[in-house]
Amino acid sequence: MAAQSFDEKNEQDFEDVTERINEALLKMASDSAIKTTVSSLAELAGVHRNTIRNREWPLSRIREIKAHRKFEAEERKKGDFSSPKPIDVLTDRLEKAQLETMYWFKKHNEVMKLYEASNESIKYLAKTRDEYKRQVEALKKDFDDLKAEYERVCDLLNTVRDK
């Protein structure tokens, strides 16, 4: 009885995976932006690549989709002998220029943020450097005072020892 429930569960899992693979293949066939590879199919279906490789029909379907895409690309190339419209060329150039401008604007903002952060760091370091210089001077003065006191005490001890 337990073996039968395992068989039913395995059969149900097999059907679920098959359905996910079919849906992923349909999506792959309808969207040319999706790569026609076993890895992309596995990712779309949510299964491991070996699951797809163990079943031969998804591999043949992937080959069919690749061939269909290649055929469509060749048809587009054959039928497109007319020169592009100047407005389309200029629009495309404008879009590319806008994208490049946005890219450099973002880079500029990043560099400005880095520059401002560096300036803040420099100001902080200069401020702390001045503070540490003052502390060093104060410590040197204390050291000189203590050294003078030490020499005075040594002189007193020498005079007491001499008597």
Side-chain angles (χ1 to χ4, degrees):
M1 181 140 179
Q4 186 179 11
S5 65
F6 285 128
D7 291 341
E8 291 172 2
K9 173 76 170 120
N10 287 340
E11 183 67 30
Q12 181 62 37
D13 289 345
F14 183 84
E15 290 175 9
D16 290 344
V17 168
T18 302
E19 186 175 331
R20 287 189 297 181
I21 290 173
N22 278 326
E23 290 173 1
L25 282 168
L26 288 173
K27 188 174 184 179
M28 185 182 283
S30 65
D31 189 359
S32 62
I34 299 172
K35 292 182 182 178
T36 53
T37 62
V38 174
S39 296
S40 60
L41 178 62
E43 187 177 341
L44 285 171
V47 296
H48 196 274
R49 292 185 316 255
N50 290 341
T51 303
I52 293 170
R53 291 193 189 282
N54 288 339
R55 303 174 185 206
E56 293 186 23
W57 62 270
L59 297 174
S60 64
R61 181 67 180 124
I62 288 174
R63 285 191 288 271
E64 290 172 11
I65 293 171
K66 279 184 185 179
H68 182 71
R69 286 184 184 176
K70 188 175 181 180
F71 175 75
E72 284 181 347
E74 289 174 359
E75 287 297 314
R76 273 187 260 129
K77 285 182 183 177
K78 286 180 185 177
D80 193 33
F81 287 113
S82 64
S83 62
K85 296 178 184 176
I87 190 89
D88 292 337
V89 171
L90 293 174
T91 304
D92 186 45
R93 284 184 184 172
L94 179 62
E95 288 173 358
K96 287 180 181 178
Q98 287 173 337
L99 289 174
E100 187 168 353
T101 303
M102 287 174 49
Y103 170 80
W104 287 112
F105 179 73
K106 288 178 183 178
K107 282 291 187 186
H108 170 74
N109 284 342
E110 290 173 11
V111 169
M112 286 304 293
K113 286 179 185 176
L114 180 64
Y115 172 75
E116 289 169 0
S118 298
N119 272 349
E120 290 297 319
S121 295
I122 289 171
K123 288 177 185 175
Y124 175 75
L125 289 173
K127 181 180 170 185
T128 56
R129 182 197 64 195
D130 293 341
E131 179 64 29
Y132 286 133
K133 278 185 176 180
R134 284 192 293 274
Q135 287 178 2
V136 165
E137 291 301 320
L139 289 173
K140 281 183 181 178
K141 184 181 178 295
D142 290 345
F143 178 73
D144 289 340
D145 292 344
L146 289 172
K147 189 175 180 183
E149 181 67 22
Y150 173 74
E151 288 175 1
R152 190 184 68 79
V153 169
C154 283
D155 288 340
L156 284 174
L157 284 175
N158 286 338
T159 55
V160 170
R161 207 183 294 159
D162 290 340
K163 289 185 179 181

